[in-house]
Amino acid sequence: MSKGDVTRERMLESATRLFMAQGYAATGLKQIIEEGDAPRGSLYFHFPGGKEELAVAVVERHAEHFTLQLTGALHESKDVASAARRMIAGLAELVEAGAGAGCPVGAVAFEMAERSDTLKEATQAAFGAWMGLIAAALVDEGASKKDAQRRARVLLCAIEGALVLSRSAGDAGPLRDVSSMVTALLGG
């Protein structure tokens, strides 16, 4: 990995952490550069579109990472409910460890979807990909396509909401509550 790639990676990591911890709007470029230990001019070198382009990269990267995790959980589990509980358990462990569990996609969507079409499209693509994976697995389990899409959306809403509540409380209880209700949420 080149020195420039290392710098870009550090900025992506610091932006991800900061967006999860304090949101998009409260995160300044100077803070991203300082926490990423990057040279001053490097942000616009790597992200000529500035903070918005950086946020798109953060969203796309997290979307890809979570998609891989979700795909693995779906393949390694006997059904969608088991896969969902596995994913939720991982998020709960991060919350309990104080590891800054959160969803930068959700943070960016919450703050910026009405202000930036670019960020709205990026977050919609991420959420759409996750719902698509879940819905496809539900169809494989016998659900109609329309019902599978509805159930996938409900499950994702429950997980995202529980993650926000868990982070707010500093306690994984809301995630564990959703985990205990997965079968009901997915019930046909």
Side-chain angles (χ1 to χ4, degrees), residues 84-101:
R85 283 192 284 277
R86 171 184 258 160
M87 295 297 295
I88 294 167
L91 292 170
E93 287 174 14
L94 290 173
V95 168
E96 289 169 342

Side-chain angles (χ1 to χ4, degrees), residues 12-36:
L12 276 169
E13 289 174 4
S14 69
T16 299
R17 280 191 312 273
L18 291 166
F19 292 166
M20 286 188 324
Q22 61 194 33
Y24 177 89
T27 300
L29 295 178
K30 183 177 179 187
Q31 188 179 21
I32 292 168
I33 292 166
E34 287 174 359
E35 291 210 14

Side-chain angles (χ1 to χ4, degrees), residues 17-69:
R17 280 191 312 273
L18 291 166
F19 292 166
M20 286 188 324
Q22 61 194 33
Y24 177 89
T27 300
L29 295 178
K30 183 177 179 187
Q31 188 179 21
I32 292 168
I33 292 166
E34 287 174 359
E35 291 210 14
D37 194 28
R40 279 188 79 108
S42 61
L43 186 115
Y44 288 102
F45 175 78
H46 292 288
F47 304 99
K51 186 177 177 183
E52 184 177 61
E53 184 177 338
L54 174 61
V56 168
V58 166
V59 166
E60 289 173 347
R61 181 175 188 210
H62 186 75
E64 182 179 318
H65 175 72
F66 194 77
T67 296
L68 290 172
Q69 288 182 316

Side-chain angles (χ1 to χ4, degrees), residues 58-188:
V58 166
V59 166
E60 289 173 347
R61 181 175 188 210
H62 186 75
E64 182 179 318
H65 175 72
F66 194 77
T67 296
L68 290 172
Q69 288 182 316
L70 180 56
T71 300
L74 288 166
H75 286 299
E76 295 168 9
S77 301
K78 65 180 176 141
D79 56 23
V80 176
S82 298
R85 283 192 284 277
R86 171 184 258 160
M87 295 297 295
I88 294 167
L91 292 170
E93 287 174 14
L94 290 173
V95 168
E96 289 169 342
C103 180
V105 178
V108 171
F110 183 77
E111 287 186 61
M112 299 305 297
E114 293 182 8
R115 294 188 209 163
S116 166
D117 288 340
T118 301
L119 293 174
K120 180 179 184 175
E121 289 170 14
T123 57
Q124 283 179 334
F127 291 135
W130 301 338
M131 286 186 289
L133 282 170
I134 296 165
L138 288 167
V139 167
D140 289 346
E141 291 180 7
S144 71
K145 185 175 179 178
K146 183 177 179 181
D147 190 47
Q149 290 170 339
R150 180 184 59 81
R151 290 193 226 170
R153 184 174 37 249
V154 167
L155 178 62
L156 187 58
C157 288
I159 293 170
E160 284 287 330
L163 188 53
V164 169
L165 292 175
S166 290
R167 288 214 48 208
S168 174
D171 170 309
L175 283 163
R176 299 221 184 274
D177 290 344
V178 167
S179 184
S180 72
M181 298 299 294
V182 164
T183 302
L185 288 168
L186 292 175

Side-chain angles (χ1 to χ4, degrees), residues 1-13 36-38 46:
M1 191 180 284
S2 73
K3 184 177 177 182
D5 290 339
V6 170
T7 298
R8 185 179 192 283
E9 182 67 22
R10 284 195 318 257
M11 283 189 292
L12 276 169
E13 289 174 4
D37 194 28
H46 292 288

